Amino acid sequence: MSTSRHTVAFVLQGGGSLSAGQIGMLRALLEAGITPDFVVGSSAGALNAVAFATDPTLHGILRLEEMWTRLRRRDIAGVSVGGLVRALTGRADGLLSTASLAQLLSSSVAMRLEDTCLPSHVVATDLLTGSPVVISRGASIPALLASAAFPGIYPPVSIDGALLSDGGVAADIPVLQAEALGAQVCYVLPAAVNSGRAVGTGGPVATARRALGQILDAAARRDTAAAIGTVHFLDAPVTTASNPFDFRWSAELIRDGYALAHAWLHENQGESARSRACADNAA
């Protein structure tokens, strides 16, 4: 845990396979001695957040890196002819089954959110109201499946009577949610950004994710501008990859995420120290 008196949160953005770089960022932060009091994430960022909180050590990060580098589309995108027919005829709420993703998560995260070594919070979107919902207790896998339920691709998940979907829709970078949970200093771990050279490629999912991303970017800028505490944005890896279900670039993204975070920490060490001092004085 952080040794200073202010409360530190790691905030992890969603992005499907483009969130792989967050594993390198987590490693750089831990090596620099920066540890959170809690973590909060949306979509794939929530998966990384809860897996990290389950074992918030360098050993745990290496396990996450191994998982990401061996991950393939079939491991999270269970496709069947019957499932596609049911979805296309309106008898199912998603094109893909979550069974493969649930199996993957069962070996990576604590079974209940309150059992993680660090407090962890998962952000999903209430389909009825469009508002963000923060899940802090209960079974972790349903919460993570809800947070990662990309609209139309994965079915929404019912939790405590609410039908929940992708957390990135309501709070792609949940800084305001972190502050509501008590964070005074937030380190934002972004997903990779597309270089722009792959526009028009990647298929319908990539196109939908790119269009939604343009909307979410504006909302994220609005939310972070409204934050009252200190918000540190780590640099995002840049990639030609665009499909959030394409995991071929995971090793490269992890490497780039680590290198960028290491450089960022070196360049901003003095600023971070001043921020900690200001936060301590305000406490």
Side-chain angles (χ1 to χ4, degrees):
M1 303 287 277
S2 175
T3 57
S4 57
R5 287 183 295 151
H6 65 292
T7 301
V8 175
F10 285 177
V11 180
L12 285 76
Q13 182 184 22
S17 61
L18 302 181
S19 296
Q22 293 169 350
I23 307 306
M25 299 174 201
L26 288 168
R27 178 183 169 190
L29 287 165
L30 256 62
E31 289 179 349
I34 299 175
T35 54
D37 294 289
F38 65 87
V39 296
V40 57
S42 289
S43 197
L47 275 59
N48 281 339
V50 176
F52 168 70
T54 297
D55 185 3
T57 65
L58 289 175
H59 176 72
I61 289 174
L62 289 175
R63 287 184 59 211
L64 274 175
E65 182 174 341
E66 181 183 357
M67 182 197 75
W68 270 99
T69 52
R70 72 169 187 263
L71 197 60
R72 294 296 179 266
R73 183 180 309 185
R74 63 179 177 273
D75 296 320
I76 68 163
V79 181
S80 69
V81 174
L84 291 175
V85 170
R86 286 191 295 274
L88 293 173
T89 55
R91 290 180 289 132
D93 294 324
L95 288 172
L96 304 179
S97 167
T98 58
S100 298
L101 179 56
Q103 183 176 2
L104 175 70
L105 291 172
S106 67
S107 61
S108 305
V109 302
M111 288 297 97
R112 298 186 65 81
L113 292 174
E114 58 266 38
D115 292 337
T116 54
C117 292
L118 288 174
S120 54
H121 308 276
V122 173
V123 178
T125 299
D126 188 315
L127 276 180
L128 179 63
T129 65
S131 301
V133 175
V134 178
I135 308 170
S136 304
R137 299 182 63 82
S140 59
I141 292 178
L144 292 172
L145 292 179
S147 185
F150 190 85
I153 303 300
Y154 287 125
V157 178
S158 179
I159 297 178
D160 294 333
L163 201 57
L164 304 179
S165 185
D166 195 326
V169 174
D172 195 37
I173 302 178
V175 170
L176 296 183
Q177 287 69 34
E179 289 195 338
L181 291 163
Q184 295 167 291
V185 176
C186 292
Y187 286 85
V188 174
L189 283 63
V193 295
N194 184 266
S195 64
R197 293 191 294 271
V199 172
T201 66
V205 174
T207 301
R209 182 67 177 85
R210 189 180 300 112
L212 180 60
Q214 293 173 345
I215 300 171
L216 298 182
D217 285 346
R221 288 193 296 270
R222 178 200 64 210
D223 289 351
T224 52
I228 59 175
T230 300
V231 180
H232 296 298
F233 266 89
L234 275 65
D235 294 327
V238 178
T239 178
T240 58
S242 60
N243 192 319
F245 290 96
D246 187 351
F247 295 90
R248 292 175 296 172
W249 314 106
S250 293
E252 177 182 328
L253 290 175
I254 292 170
R255 183 182 67 246
D256 290 350
Y258 175 81
L260 288 167
H262 188 271
W264 184 94
L265 289 163
H266 178 73
E267 294 171 2
N268 293 274
Q269 189 172 17
E271 179 184 344
S272 296
R274 288 193 295 274
S275 296
R276 288 194 295 270
C278 291
D280 287 343
N281 291 334

